[in-house]
Amino acid sequence: MAQNWFVYLINDWDQVLQTTLVMSRGNDSDRKTSTLRHGLNDVAPGTSAKIELLPDEVLGFTNEYLLTFFADGKLYDKTFVFEPYSVKEELAQELPVMEESGVMAK
């Protein structure tokens, strides 16, 4: 029986993430996933937004999430990475904002 893993954006800042966009992609040595784009609009402080399901077939890939948003009149961007096989129950911890456990991207 497979464990379903979902990717969330957690806003633990004290301000709204405006016009939030996330691009996701994954790859290993000889394969890659489709590049997906997710428009999340505004993400309020102290909340989370579901991005996508992370299927078992890509847990061995390097999975990247490129985040772009506006806050305080400035454009921000950051890349979060799940290294191959880093998403597993043994590495789960309590997540900020959410009352769930999960694995945080670096």
Side-chain angles (χ1 to χ4, degrees), residues 1-90:
M1 202 159 167
Q3 168 78 35
N4 285 332
W5 293 96
F6 288 92
V7 178
Y8 287 85
L9 171 63
I10 298 173
N11 180 4
D12 61 354
W13 275 21
D14 60 356
Q15 53 195 304
V16 175
L17 308 182
Q18 301 170 323
T19 318
T20 306
L21 301 170
V22 176
M23 183 182 78
S24 62
R25 62 185 177 204
N27 64 72
D28 69 4
S29 60
D30 60 341
R31 298 175 295 165
K32 64 180 182 176
T33 67
S34 298
T35 298
L36 301 175
R37 290 167 181 82
H38 311 274
L40 303 178
N41 297 318
D42 294 348
V43 181
T47 66
S48 62
K50 187 184 282 189
I51 298 172
E52 67 182 7
L53 170 70
L54 192 59
D56 287 343
E57 297 83 30
V58 299
L59 293 178
F61 287 27
T62 298
N63 289 286
E64 298 178 306
Y65 292 85
L66 291 77
L67 169 66
T68 305
F69 63 93
F70 288 94
D72 284 335
K74 297 178 189 171
L75 178 65
Y76 292 86
D77 66 84
K78 179 163 175 67
T79 300
F80 294 92
V81 177
F82 289 107
E83 296 295 337
Y85 303 107
S86 65
V87 178
K88 52 187 171 184
E89 199 153 342
E90 303 86 72

